[in-house]
Amino acid sequence: MPTSKIVYQKSAGLTDVPLTYCPGCTHGIIHKLVAQSLEELGLLERSIGISSVGCSALNYDFFSCDMVQVAHGRAPAVATGIKRVRDNAILFTYQGDGDLASIGIAEAIHAAHRSENITIIFVNNAIYGMTGGQMAPTTLIGQKTTTSPDGRDAKETGLPLKISEMMATIPGATYVERVSVHNPQHVNKAKKALKKAFDIQDKKQGFSLIEFVSTCPVNWGMTPKDAVDWAVEHMIPYYPLGVYKDRTKEEQAND
Amino acid sequence: MAKVLMKGNEAMALAAIKAGCEAFYGYPITPQNELPEYMSKHMHENDRVFVQSESEVAAINMVYGAAAAGARVLTSSSSPGIALKQEGISYIAGSELPAVIINVMRGGPGLGGIQPSQGDYKQITRGGGNGDYYLYSLAPESLQEAVDLIKESFDIADYFRNPVMIAVDGLIGQMMEPVDFDHDVPKWTLEPKTWAADGNRSNGREKNIVNSLYLDPLVLEQHNLKLKAKYDEMKRDHQRYEMINMDKAEVVICAFGSTSRIARTSVEILKENGIECGIIRPITIFPFPTKAFEEIPQKVQDILVVEMNTGQMVDDVRLADQFRHNVHFYGRVGGVVPEAEEIVEQVMNIVGGAK
């Protein structure tokens, strides 16, 4: 009889390369959830991840599946190009808010519009992390960044862009959900959403996007704990969690 | 197969299909629209991929994706569209991926016009996007040559793991000519694409990464030098050019693509006037055929460069010629195609009138 058993180990979806993320940033948790979801669904061998530009640019070293590093914002187009020629592969893009909501908004919208059978993992921390804390389309009103030093002013810069709400209006989008990883309960919910998105893709049901409300302690100028609290107090009220679109349910209802 | 009469853009599309092109991603722009239009029907018929993207930027990134996954992939566009694709082309070259890009040139800068031009010479031959890279660039002068070169270009792209550009102009895109699709073209010896990120690891292979990011300067330097070695090989072993009527020539015209066709007519007219004129026709504009200039006969003193731009290739001619000859330039721009008589007049002026 063995006297011990393994109750927890690193996902086979992650390599042993040390993560480059700052302490307290939730990229690490989100990476783990993506890796675990693909592993548990048995999709790792078939997966191709798209590393975009931003803090997660180096994640081609972290995920243990095929990876393609791409230009700022273009991940959904690259994923489209791959998926159309390798339709048995499972494609995910991993994009921050600068990448997806700003420079790459056209590529994201049109991938959803064509209902490309890919999954976008969208990490929203309301700021540009990699380039040192500039304003993003998702920066909250009053939030100070290096390019909104007096706090974001709606008159000058518009209101923060709500990507999940917007993507849900696109007829081609199949599944859109916004999740958070600020406590274990929500970590579990987030993983469920990811697994559902990958499962939808595996069943060739079309486009899915999972938005993560995330943190940036360094550029927000907060401790990791304060950053999580700030995300709960300020981000989630403006970016409410939940399912924004589920065409698989609509289809079931119509059956 | 007998010769068939086809429009240039459609003939180029069919050539790509015959070369085993698995995917076409593109965005409409005049004067190359018949190419994606032809693809939209015939790629699907052949159980291959066609996507009309939302922009040129998206199209070239779709190309990047398909190439990364190991597919033979094509895009086409025209000058302003090629400018938009340059970001993606830089990534394709940086990540050492094969792809074929057809540029049916029109006048510029900016929105310019839609008539034939060779105004992208520098955009094509200098890399075009950011960083140190080049495209293997072929400039056919007829539909037959375009078809043959496109068939071969997929092999060339795979061999070098580098984008290949087919540089034509609106004249070649829009003209109709008889074409034989069964010409044998050189077959290159190719390695299997074991590097492809195709999501097929059922055979137990390690993960593949397609990447152009090298944060360590010493590592990036090695990568840049590896790319340079590839471009040096192109320059050393893969220059292509044609020498026409060179034996008796007293003056030489250098022209590529449509312009060299017109120059051929000029040479015939000049011959009737007792003037023997040769032509150096670059088929590769990168690598530029420097070797051709070493073959110019002793008695030639003058080279006339004819282009449909304000003199972009003339710099390369001067460099290749190393100032051995008097280099003159004649160009028409704005979408105006030079007539043979205009070139004749230029040559007459150079040689001091009719003999």
Side-chain angles (χ1 to χ4, degrees), chain B residues 90-108:
Chain B
S90 169
Y91 277 73
I92 294 170
S95 303
E96 295 197 87
L97 297 175
V100 178
I101 303 152
I102 298 175
N103 180 5
V104 185
M105 286 182 274
R106 61 188 250 184

Side-chain angles (χ1 to χ4, degrees), chain B residues 7-27:
Chain B
K7 191 167 189 174
N9 286 328
E10 295 183 342
M12 291 191 286
L14 179 55
I17 292 173
K18 285 180 179 287
C21 174
E22 295 165 73
F24 177 92
Y25 304 108
Y27 186 78

